[in-house]
Amino acid sequence: MFESEIYFKASRSSGSGGQNVNKVSTKVELNFDVSNSRLLTDEQKRRISEKLFNFINKEGILKITSQESRSQLANKEITLKKFRKLIASCFEKKKKRIHTKATKGSKEKRLSRKKKHSDLKKGRSRNWF
């Protein structure tokens, strides 16, 4: 869906890989311009900007990087998966919490534990009348 507005940038990766690191650009950066997207409504843009503010720069571009694999293609797939997951998480609606009351049994259990603990502490005192 968003693939038409996504562009990738490859660069040299850090970390393990020996000579591969020095020669091949395997690190992949996914860029998606949230603020100028034609596929998103204003409400969707606002929601993405609020939820993913850590991934969005001042120009309104969402950036996701990957250098997990030694293959550029694999890193590209990883960034796409991360992107899809992040976008999906922005539009998930949280379930409303249903407030429940404590049951009669749980109240009695709590009170009996309190009474037992109180008796234990009373037994420690020196005044045994």
Side-chain angles (χ1 to χ4, degrees), residues 33-51 56 91:
D33 194 351
V34 177
S35 57
N36 295 324
S37 175
R38 293 181 304 275
L39 299 171
L40 299 171
T41 64
D42 289 335
E43 175 61 27
Q44 290 172 328
K45 289 177 187 178
R46 184 192 60 76
R47 194 170 186 139
I48 289 172
S49 297
E50 284 177 5
K51 297 230 178 183
I56 298 175
F91 300 122

Side-chain angles (χ1 to χ4, degrees), residues 11 14 26 30 33 50 61 66 85 91 105-106:
S11 60
S14 63
T26 55
L30 178 145
D33 194 351
E50 284 177 5
I61 297 173
S66 175
K85 194 173 182 180
F91 300 122
S106 68

